[in-house]
Amino acid sequence: MESNELNSPDYEIPPELQAQVAITSLDKIYNWGRSASVWPLMFGLACCAIEMICAAASRFDIARFGMEIMRPSPRQSDLMIISGTVTKKMIPIIVRLYNQMPEPKYVLAMGACASGGGPFKEGYNVVSGVDKFIPVDVYVPGCPPTPQALLNGLMKIQEKIKGESIKTARWYQKGPDMAEIPVPMLGPDLIDPRKITLIQNGKKN
Amino acid sequence: MATPVATPAPAQTLDLPARFPGVLNPDTRPGYSGWILDNANLLKFATALRDELGYDYLSSVTAVDYLPEGKMEVVYHVYKTTGGAGVVFKIQVPRADPMEVPSLVSIYPGAELQEREAWDLFGIKFTGHPDLRRILMWEGFAGHPMRKDWHEPYFEEEAKPLKSRWPDGRMIMAESKNLFGDNISYPDGFNPESQTFDPEKALYEALRSYQKDEVGLDTDHIIVNMGPQHPSTHGVFRVAVVLDGEKIVNLKPVMGYLHRNHEKIGERNTFIMNMPYTDRLDYLSSMSNNFGYALAVEKLMNVKPTERAEYIRVMMAEMTRIASHLMAIGALLNDLGAYFTPMLYALEERELLLDIFEAVSGSRMMCNYFRFGGVARDLPEGTLQKIKGLFFERLPRKIEEIDRFLSENEIIRSRGIGQGVLTAEDAIKYSAAGPLLRASGIPYDVRRAEPYSIYDRFEFDVVVRTNGDIYDRLMVRFDEIRQSIRIVQQAVKQLPNGPVMALKPMYQVRVPPGEAYGRVEGPKGELGFYVISNGKPTPWRYHVRAPSFINLTAFGPICIGQKLADVVAVLGSIDIVLGEVDR
Amino acid sequence: MSDMVGKGILKSLSVSLKRFAETYLDDLSWLGKRYRTDKGIAHRGSKDARGIFTVQYPEEKIPVPEEFRFVPFLVYDEGPNGEKTLRCTSCGICAKVCPPQCIWIVRSTDPATGRPIPDPAKFTIDADLCMNCGLCAEFCPFDAIKMDHDYELASFTRNVYDETKLSKSAKYYESIRPVNARREDAARAAKAASRTGQGE
């Protein structure tokens, strides 16, 4: 964020003080700090992961966005880039990783597969988009999105972060913590625990 | 260096029937070749083939479901590592459960993973297989999905194009038609709460079956899982190891986390539709994948690409090899702990190659550039100039720079030399391919062993190193990059003018019935496409012999006895791409 | 390797050092014109690139080549009064050749006769199915569907595009793919000429 943007609270600063003080709203500085240090989870799924690596490499260099610190552990990361086809065999692990990430956390669905199943949607082992299980913040279309398209998506994440406020952020609200997403199980097919009653009744209808 | 085999004799002139009287029946279906034999003779025949005739390399094992004829077929392709054409033989079993075929693992251990795949996807039991578990799907999955009468939840029609797209044109998302809103279905009367089985149980049972070392202290052995989310597994690959202290006593690769049903989808696609799908197999080398598939279908169609197209194809395939090897070198160094610097250096050069792919084909990675009978479009203006600049000026210099950067480094040498050794004998036994095979001292390269396209016109050496360790695999890749640069330089100089397509571009090609096995030397090794056409617009069978997948057969044997820390290095030196392992 | 241990590492480091020095030397040699200029961007993607390799998106963008393909779009021709007519005739070849089957076309019917007329009533592309393979554009006989160059499509919702979102003008098409557009225009004109020639 440019300094003039940061240094603009919603009320007027007397002209003689403008050079001496920097007044900002708490939200602005909080979101500025957060949006410039989004640490992604080091986690590649498929073809898009290679473009993600390229985005981290010297030509595109996501370090310029403060995002180069890819953490292999979900406990230390803020952003999950779903970079590739989500399969039924993999989704329990993805949900578990998502649950392990601390708030605030964001999810970017990179490419067609992660967004909506992609070209492999019809396959028997493919989940039709990761948003069937975990909430997605930004969708980046493309197969695969070029690194620049991914950077564009990451800027959308930053945009989203900048639009949030401490007052309303869900991770500072009173009450119970956000419920964990139940981890799907593998049976004769993928079993979503949220749909157990539907599965029990489904066939009889 | 390998001696190129002069005009290899076709397998049929071996007079196999005379050699094995009463055992072999020629496959007389139109467009087919090879031999059909019985269950009872399989082991005897295979042993003789390997030991007496020298067909020591099992390239591919796969199954075909002939639903209308009520039978299943298992198809084997074997070759000699000295070069030449191969032998194809088939086993037919009636299509009724249980279908049993003797396992070839005792003769060709390279069949291990491939037979597991055939069991998983087709439900063919290989009797005598040491570890017959599901491989791509999980234990407990309902049904064997590659069978022609098995349909996925989103199933609409047997073949594309789907009527719902045109002329019907109802825009309905597939999930909104499904009861559960996702790609799932269950057997009748299934109750998830009564499910008791554990999909992981079979794996842990298999892990526990190893020879315990009776000498010395009796220590507890622990099981460690690496992956599928692990920074050094090159994607969603999982390794389960049993450790005695830090020493590995047993190791099983666990895969299928990226199994996206290439073959099932491929059998619904029309022939041309499969071309962009092949890009997504080994997504680091899409041009090579295009090449293999185009070769297989062109064999069926009996089409020859134009001269200019052949040269462009070879150039693109070799550039792909360089791009893929650069990635492999970078990733291996990452795994060895040289965190990201070599990767950055390698990726810079790769980016410049990707720029050329982008200019030529329109996409950096998913090129979809080859067509049956040629390539999609001619090189755009200025591209040849760019290729020349890169291959005559920049790359030779930069490869030497990366080589100087890495190959004498003591850390790399001590991590690499003598570690993760695969002997020449084992490499053949486990059907290892590509740099993995050649680093073990076997000068086997499909470009020389059974030249395809126009590779017989170029001067290049088959790279070979003899120690079979991690360091040699790294060095083989460097040498191969140098040879590829040589080939591209020659191709650029000889590139003729002319059309780039032998046929009129058609969105639906006519492919006569028959079978074809097109194989190319991909960056990861021998990449084969086994395609069966029955004259319809879609292939009846579309199978990929994926080198990354089959190279993993040797992964366990290499690692056993090594330290845990070497697992990532060995895996990095094998260089797998998960899109190809799991397909 | 009988000589000094550590020599190899020093050799490695010398490569790094050389590259480190190059970043500054190359920057200096450009006299401040290396960044945010087309020439500077082209230099960083050329065979002579050395030093800093980064193209600083979003301020700088790597120019995409003519053949670059992203999600498809529909081309419309603009009439003299600004009316837009899609080139698409809803023949369905794109839907038939699309590998992931992400194109849905509803054909228009003539209200009087009930017969289909060559104009799509609805044209939907599910960009989250599309694999950007370009086969639709390659086989379209009317040059009506083309692959876009715009990759900055990230959004907060899923991407299913209808005909309004997909339509882009022929001028835009010419601007992103000048060589192709010129060739296709010439081919179409020749075809039209031969047709009128036969008709007379």
Side-chain angles (χ1 to χ4, degrees):
Chain A
M1 204 190 304
E2 301 293 325
S3 58
N4 58 343
E5 213 180 312
L6 188 65
N7 192 5
S8 59
D10 296 331
Y11 52 88
E12 219 166 292
I13 310 170
E16 66 274 16
L17 281 178
Q18 263 176 11
Q20 274 102 49
V21 296
I23 300 176
T24 181
S25 71
L26 196 55
D27 271 347
K28 269 188 190 144
I29 194 129
Y30 174 67
N31 289 335
W32 173 70
R34 285 194 310 136
S35 67
S37 65
V38 179
W39 291 4
L41 178 63
M42 187 192 252
F43 166 60
L45 283 173
C47 334
C48 291
I50 305 299
E51 291 294 59
M52 187 172 78
I53 294 171
C54 288
S58 40
R59 194 178 213 179
F60 303 99
D61 193 14
I62 51 174
R64 295 178 296 119
F65 297 82
M67 296 183 184
E68 81 283 18
I69 311 175
M70 295 230 175
R71 305 313 300 182
S73 159
R75 304 279 184 204
Q76 303 163 343
S77 46
D78 311 306
L79 168 68
M80 189 183 217
I81 301 177
I82 310 284
S83 54
T85 316
V86 181
T87 61
K88 291 179 187 172
K89 211 172 167 176
M90 193 64 196
I91 188 73
I93 294 134
I94 294 176
V95 172
R96 194 164 288 150
L97 288 169
Y98 179 77
N99 284 339
Q100 287 173 352
M101 280 166 66
E103 286 280 10
K105 54 186 167 187
Y106 301 89
V107 177
L108 182 139
M110 180 184 181
C113 290
S115 307
F120 298 98
K121 185 173 180 176
E122 61 197 288
Y124 48 83
N125 193 25
V126 177
V127 173
S128 321
V130 75
D131 54 359
K132 292 266 180 298
F133 291 90
I134 60 177
V136 172
D137 295 289
V138 170
Y139 297 82
V140 183
C143 188
T146 58
Q148 293 189 351
L150 174 64
L151 294 181
N152 183 254
L154 293 171
M155 283 158 61
K156 281 262 172 193
I157 289 271
Q158 290 184 324
E159 198 182 297
K160 178 164 184 152
I161 292 174
K162 282 173 188 165
E164 285 169 338
S165 164
I166 298 184
K167 267 184 263 169
T168 53
R170 65 176 184 275
W171 51 92
Y172 288 133
Q173 300 303 305
K174 282 207 176 115
D177 284 347
M178 206 178 74
E180 287 203 341
I181 293 168
V183 178
M185 298 175 288
L186 297 175
D189 208 327
L190 187 72
I191 302 167
D192 187 345
R194 295 170 297 188
K195 290 180 186 160
I196 279 187
T197 32
L198 186 64
I199 296 167
Q200 280 164 339
N201 304 326
K203 284 284 161 184
K204 286 165 204 150
N205 294 343
Chain B
M1 293 299 120
T3 40
V5 181
T7 48
Q12 267 69 7
T13 57
L14 262 176
D15 204 13
L16 282 170
R19 180 76 183 63
F20 301 97
V23 172
L24 298 175
N25 300 307
D27 193 343
T28 51
R29 291 170 287 184
Y32 284 72
S33 64
W35 309 95
I36 298 174
L37 61 155
D38 289 333
N39 264 348
N41 298 321
L42 178 67
L43 290 181
K44 216 173 65 201
F45 172 73
T47 314
L49 202 60
R50 182 192 67 176
D51 296 341
E52 293 161 31
L53 300 174
Y55 286 90
D56 50 358
Y57 188 80
L58 178 77
S59 169
S60 149
V61 181
T62 190
V64 187
D65 182 2
Y66 288 100
L67 180 64
E69 286 105 72
K71 61 190 178 194
M72 287 261 191
E73 193 174 88
V74 182
V75 187
Y76 303 86
H77 288 84
V78 293
Y79 291 89
K80 291 177 179 175
T81 44
T82 48
V87 171
V88 186
F89 56 97
K90 297 157 190 176
I91 295 273
Q92 292 185 333
V93 278
R95 211 175 169 286
D97 284 310
M99 285 175 283
E100 290 189 349
V101 171
S103 167
L104 277 192
V105 174
S106 56
I107 300 157
Y108 295 110
E112 188 188 338
L113 297 185
Q114 305 189 61
E115 285 184 350
R116 274 178 68 189
E117 185 193 310
W119 153 246
D120 186 359
L121 302 183
F122 287 91
I124 297 172
K125 265 214 158 76
F126 290 90
T127 49
H129 190 287
D131 184 20
L132 196 65
R133 286 176 292 122
R134 280 190 178 256
I135 185 164
L136 297 176
M137 301 306 286
W138 59 90
E139 213 63 54
F141 182 75
H144 298 284
M146 279 302 289
R147 289 186 179 184
K148 288 281 178 185
D149 52 359
W150 194 96
H151 291 147
E152 51 268 79
Y154 282 171
F155 177 78
E156 275 188 58
E157 280 174 64
E158 284 293 350
K160 290 177 185 175
L162 307 174
K163 288 200 179 57
S164 63
R165 307 316 201 244
W166 192 92
D168 298 2
R170 279 165 287 129
M171 164 61 190
I172 302 169
M173 295 265 201
E175 48 262 57
S176 62
K177 277 190 287 186
N178 186 286
L179 179 63
F180 308 106
D182 197 0
N183 195 0
I184 37 181
S185 66
Y186 303 97
D188 282 332
F190 168 69
N191 184 358
E193 278 167 353
S194 60
Q195 181 182 317
T196 49
F197 72 87
D198 175 12
E200 301 279 270
K201 201 173 140 221
L203 166 69
Y204 291 118
E205 269 168 18
L207 272 174
R208 271 181 222 111
S209 62
Y210 55 89
Q211 284 282 307
K212 266 213 168 116
D213 196 3
E214 297 296 335
V215 198
L217 287 172
D218 188 23
T219 49
D220 269 357
H221 290 184
I222 55 165
I223 294 176
V224 174
N225 273 294
M226 274 176 63
Q229 188 259 336
H230 186 280
S232 288
T233 53
H234 298 215
V236 282
F237 181 64
R238 175 173 159 205
V239 191
V241 289
V242 186
L243 292 177
D244 175 8
E246 264 199 75
K247 208 179 82 188
I248 291 158
V249 289
N250 201 7
L251 179 147
K252 296 272 174 201
V254 187
M255 45 195 110
Y257 294 98
L258 190 55
H259 178 46
R260 28 188 196 182
N261 330 117
H262 257 279
E263 294 182 5
K264 187 84 180 175
I265 296 173
E267 288 170 17
R268 195 174 302 127
N269 283 348
T270 62
F271 283 92
I272 186 87
M273 283 182 191
N274 270 335
M275 193 59 85
Y277 275 97
T278 61
D279 291 339
R280 285 149 181 88
L281 281 167
D282 173 356
Y283 34 75
L284 290 175
S285 44
S286 57
M287 293 276 197
S288 286
N289 304 342
N290 284 185
F291 207 160
Y293 179 61
L295 276 188
V297 179
E298 278 162 5
K299 256 188 206 174
L300 279 172
M301 293 169 70
N302 208 4
V303 181
K304 227 185 113 43
T306 59
E307 275 291 289
R308 187 174 170 84
E310 292 271 33
Y311 277 91
I312 294 177
R313 282 179 171 197
V314 167
M315 270 159 59
M316 292 301 150
E318 295 308 315
M319 280 157 65
T320 300
R321 190 184 316 278
I322 298 170
S324 167
H325 280 351
L326 283 171
M327 192 78 182
I329 290 167
L332 171 61
L333 268 291
N334 256 10
D335 294 345
L336 289 176
Y339 191 67
F340 241 94
T341 308
M343 184 79 155
L344 291 178
Y345 289 2
L347 282 180
E348 273 184 19
E349 307 316 310
R350 182 172 175 267
E351 284 291 336
L352 295 178
L353 288 169
L354 294 192
D355 276 356
I356 292 174
F357 293 153
E358 197 176 30
V360 169
S361 74
S363 182
R364 289 156 50 88
M365 281 168 69
M366 306 305 174
C367 299
N368 181 24
Y369 183 52
F370 289 35
R371 297 286 178 271
F372 311 128
V375 292
R377 60 187 75 79
D378 207 342
L379 301 176
E381 226 183 290
T383 315
L384 199 61
Q385 216 46 45
K386 223 174 162 187
I387 296 175
K388 274 182 192 161
L390 213 52
F391 277 83
F392 286 94
E393 290 171 42
R394 184 181 172 99
L395 273 179
R397 179 165 52 88
K398 283 287 172 182
I399 297 306
E400 293 320 311
E401 187 188 274
I402 299 176
D403 189 13
R404 195 165 63 244
F405 182 55
L406 298 176
S407 43
E408 277 175 41
N409 191 314
E410 280 83 1
I411 303 170
I412 292 160
R413 293 180 72 96
S414 58
R415 284 294 306 267
I417 294 176
Q419 301 295 321
V421 176
L422 180 69
T423 61
E425 232 167 67
D426 282 354
I428 297 175
K429 217 170 79 179
Y430 293 116
S431 299
L436 183 62
L437 181 67
R438 289 190 287 274
S440 295
I442 310 293
Y444 183 74
D445 185 321
V446 183
R447 292 174 294 175
R448 275 273 188 262
E450 198 187 12
Y452 53 94
S453 188
I454 50 166
Y455 274 106
D456 46 357
R457 298 185 198 167
F458 297 110
E459 263 179 47
F460 66 96
D461 300 324
V462 174
V463 172
V464 64
R465 298 251 169 173
T466 48
N467 298 323
D469 54 17
I470 294 171
Y471 186 75
D472 271 9
R473 276 171 228 142
L474 176 67
M475 286 301 119
V476 161
R477 295 207 167 87
F478 271 118
D479 293 345
E480 280 190 11
I481 292 177
R482 292 187 187 109
Q483 297 303 329
S484 293
I485 292 176
R486 251 176 100 186
I487 296 174
V488 176
Q489 286 176 343
Q490 293 171 51
V492 169
K493 279 185 193 148
Q494 299 170 16
L495 182 68
N497 285 324
V500 292
M501 269 295 275
L503 305 171
K504 226 175 112 241
M506 284 176 291
Y507 67 92
Q508 214 156 68
V509 290
R510 265 190 51 78
V511 180
E515 61 167 4
Y517 185 59
R519 54 183 199 141
V520 294
E521 185 68 35
K524 311 283 185 296
E526 179 187 332
L527 173 70
F529 284 86
Y530 181 65
V531 182
I532 292 180
S533 162
N534 57 356
K536 298 230 171 73
T538 52
W540 180 257
R541 180 83 176 98
Y542 163 75
H543 172 71
V544 187
R545 188 252 184 234
S548 298
F549 172 64
I550 295 164
N551 283 352
L552 281 174
T553 320
F555 182 44
I558 296 175
C559 285
I560 289 173
Q562 298 268 317
K563 297 274 163 38
L564 178 63
D566 292 323
V567 170
V568 287
V570 171
L571 188 65
S573 73
I574 293 176
D575 184 24
I576 57 165
V577 164
L578 263 294
E580 195 174 71
V581 172
D582 294 340
R583 278 153 292 145
Chain C
M1 280 306 291
S2 57
D3 46 13
M4 189 182 83
V5 176
K7 203 175 155 201
I9 292 177
L10 288 177
K11 209 169 169 184
S12 303
L13 289 174
S14 73
V15 173
S16 292
L17 187 69
K18 183 175 151 265
R19 295 184 67 124
F20 177 74
E22 269 176 6
T23 49
Y24 295 98
L25 292 175
D26 205 63
D27 266 14
L28 285 174
S29 69
W30 278 78
L31 300 170
K33 296 219 172 83
R34 195 169 191 271
Y35 302 100
R36 306 199 185 181
T37 57
D38 290 343
K39 232 175 128 191
I41 295 171
H43 165 71
R44 275 169 273 163
S46 74
K47 66 177 168 51
D48 305 313
R50 56 177 210 150
I52 290 178
F53 196 64
T54 311
V55 178
Q56 299 177 5
Y57 181 87
E59 290 83 12
E60 298 175 322
K61 286 173 190 171
I62 300 174
V64 287
E66 168 146 3
E67 293 299 342
F68 179 72
R69 49 187 153 81
F70 220 63
V71 181
F73 68 97
L74 295 173
V75 186
Y76 64 78
D77 287 311
E78 251 168 318
N81 306 324
E83 70 269 20
K84 298 169 181 176
T85 38
L86 284 178
R87 286 181 183 174
C88 177
T89 62
S90 68
C91 71
I93 286 179
C94 53
K96 280 191 266 185
V97 77
C98 175
Q101 297 281 295
C102 68
I103 302 177
W104 284 262
I105 306 171
V106 181
R107 292 183 291 177
S108 307
T109 45
D110 192 331
T113 58
R115 292 223 188 94
I117 50 171
D119 181 34
K122 267 185 134 168
F123 197 106
T124 321
I125 291 181
D126 187 345
D128 291 337
L129 265 183
C130 176
M131 67 202 296
N132 306 164
C133 65
L135 289 182
C136 50
E138 197 174 319
F139 291 106
C140 177
F142 303 100
D143 303 321
I145 187 166
K146 290 291 165 197
M147 303 307 280
D148 207 343
H149 279 187
D150 182 15
Y151 50 81
E152 291 163 321
L153 297 171
S155 66
F156 297 120
T157 52
R158 277 203 49 182
N159 296 284
V160 180
Y161 300 151
D162 63 358
E163 63 278 2
T164 22
K165 168 117 191 178
L166 287 169
S167 302
K168 290 189 178 172
S169 71
K171 275 209 192 74
Y172 171 75
Y173 173 56
E174 273 159 39
S175 72
I176 60 169
R177 288 169 194 260
V179 178
N180 278 320
R182 241 177 287 135
R183 194 187 57 229
E184 285 156 8
D185 284 347
R188 261 204 319 280
K191 211 171 164 189
S194 78
R195 201 177 295 136
T196 49
Q198 277 164 7
E200 277 160 13

